[in-house]
Amino acid sequence: DLFDRATVQRLVDRLHRLLTAAIADPDRPIAGIDLLTPTEQRQLTTWSGTPTTPDPRCLHEIFADQATRSPHATALICGDNQISYTELDHRADQLAHALTQRGVRPGVLVGICLDRGIDLITAVLATLKAGGGYTLLDPAFPVERLRATISDAGIPVLIIDPARAAITAGLRLTLVDPTATATGADLGRRATPADVACVMFTSGSTGRPKGVVTPHRALVGTLCGQSYVDFDAGQSWLQCAPVSWDAFALEAFGALLHGGTCVLQPGQAPDAALISDLISRHAITTVHLSASLLNHLIDEHPGTFDGVRQVMTGGEPASVPHLRRLLDRHPGIRIVNGYSPVESTIFTTSHQVTPADTTAATIPVGRPLAGKQVHVLDPRLRPVPVGVPGELYMAGVGLADSYLGQPAHTAERFVANPFGSPGATMYRTGDLVRWRPDGTLDFLGRADHQIKIRGFRIEPAEVAAVLSGHPQVAQAAVVVRADTAGDKQLVGYAVAAAGPVAPDALRRYAADHLPTHLVPAAIVLLDALPLTPTGKLDRAALPAPVRSAGDGRGPRTQREEVLCGLFAELLGLPRVGIDDDFFALGGHSLLATRLVSRVRSALGAEVTIQTLFNHPTAAAMATRLGPASSRPALRRRPVQEENA
């Protein structure tokens, strides 16, 4: 009842090989006995992927070639503005000349702190044309976070709107207006495929974000010569992922390297209602959405995908019921489940989801892309048999070079590749996977405490380090909890150093130093952190946060009553007062998206996610919704259980 015949046969065969080898050489350690037959070894070698000849061009060179082939095609659309390939190429050339005059060359990192828009893409292309590497600094991040990143990365040149220049006060760097222009001789080839194209920062276990140094060849190898989706001039792509994600490059360059159109969603955070509208208005054919955002669109905006041809998802395990509903409604749509950490650019494996996949418990993460390799290994770096969990290592064309300025972490994760050519490296992901009998990979979880929540990679130690930096905190710990089914949240625990400290004050402190996705949903004060008998943090003994709301002022108007009802419904609380903070009560970015959608529907008012972030109480939000609505007030109803 538990196993199919093929699985049992493999287990029996391996036991037979183990016993035979042990009898033949009784002194050999059990760990030294190889359970793989030569046939299985050849099979795993085939499944692991093979190298390919990479494209010898850089990102900006491929874009320039495309601009020559289709000069008048629309490259970018943002709001009411659009720009052709030749116009975008010309603007990027002018800004690139201005950057070279300020010392940008290969190996120089250029920070870009701009709102999502045509200027942002121009700045990225200009940086590459000048020979430099770009790092995108999300303007929505706290000022302290931006300043720390600029300082830690040693960024010498920053492209920034003059209105935001104050955030750089006291930092030694050159500021460049995004509209700056200059002329000069042909820029020529200032970079090679081995030079740095971008540095993307991800959560770090030491409390310091890790800058992943990615060369041109990694991005080009992931976006050119691949077939996991159709890359051609007939595709219209949506760029809605946060600019700090590697998915930004997929959504922007997936269009621009192949003659397609890239539609930029205004605003820094993905907005479900706006995404649905943009897809319909611009006949977008190709989208990439985190699993959580995809699930939300399927639930709340099912008509979003009526004209879409290709959907890529990833960042967290895909929801089988949601993909089944999407395929049932759109039988011809191409759904790709992609997977990779940022250290192996964007996607390393992919799987095209079929109706048969939606009858199983999980969706596989697939096989390696062309030119990329994966190895499922045991602690002695030996390949494991089919069905056996092992740690995943990645190699090949998509691999990053290192962590910026962190040689110890680089040496720990980018290790010698025993399956490659001399000097080759592979990346130790820390992810546990196993081979399926058909040669696809199943994702099983993490081998450490790193987590992903709503597509964001999070090292709890980084958040704990920030909390510990508060002058009134002696110790801090951060864990992920799922006290509500299907809803993971970060929870912080703090021990006061001297005198009382308010949880709300600690949360505000975290919000001043961390991006929104790293701010704990709740902070619990403890007399001491619980420890195991061996002196380690006893995570199982950490108490669940107790959320209280509704003890303050009640609604004074119909609009406030509606908002309080919506807050309570989405947060799973019996009552919410008008001064209760949505995020302090456990709200997060996905719930914020749902709330904005419900507010639009219930009150007929136009509201953005940014409005909620800036005004997270019912009282404050009510003043930002325009004329009062005549709709009846909503009464709280039980939240319907949703599939994870």
Side-chain angles (χ1 to χ4, degrees), residues 259-338:
T261 298
C262 178
V263 179
L264 304 167
Q265 181 217 287
Q268 297 306 105
D271 184 320
L274 187 52
I275 287 171
S276 184
D277 177 65
L278 289 172
I279 288 174
S280 173
R281 192 190 324 162
H282 297 290
I284 288 171
T285 63
T286 303
V287 296
H288 169 270
L289 303 163
S290 69
S292 292
L293 182 56
L294 176 61
N295 296 346
H296 173 70
L297 285 165
I298 293 171
D299 289 336
E300 304 286 342
H301 305 275
T304 296
F305 304 96
D306 288 350
V308 175
R309 300 178 207 162
Q310 306 180 124
V311 176
M312 289 166 283
T313 188
E316 52 196 328
S319 166
V320 174
H322 283 89
L323 296 188
R324 183 186 307 124
R325 285 159 53 194
L326 184 57
L327 282 173
D328 286 345
R329 178 166 176 150
H330 306 284
I333 200 168
R334 184 178 191 175
I335 304 174
V336 175
N337 189 34

Side-chain angles (χ1 to χ4, degrees), residues 6 11 35 127 134 164 195 202 222 241 330 346 359 368 370 407 527 559 573 615 623:
L11 291 172
L35 298 182
T127 299
Y134 70 84
R164 288 198 174 98
D195 285 317
T202 187
T222 302
H330 306 284
I346 308 175
T359 63
D527 293 331
R559 180 184 296 162
L573 297 172
H615 310 283
T623 65

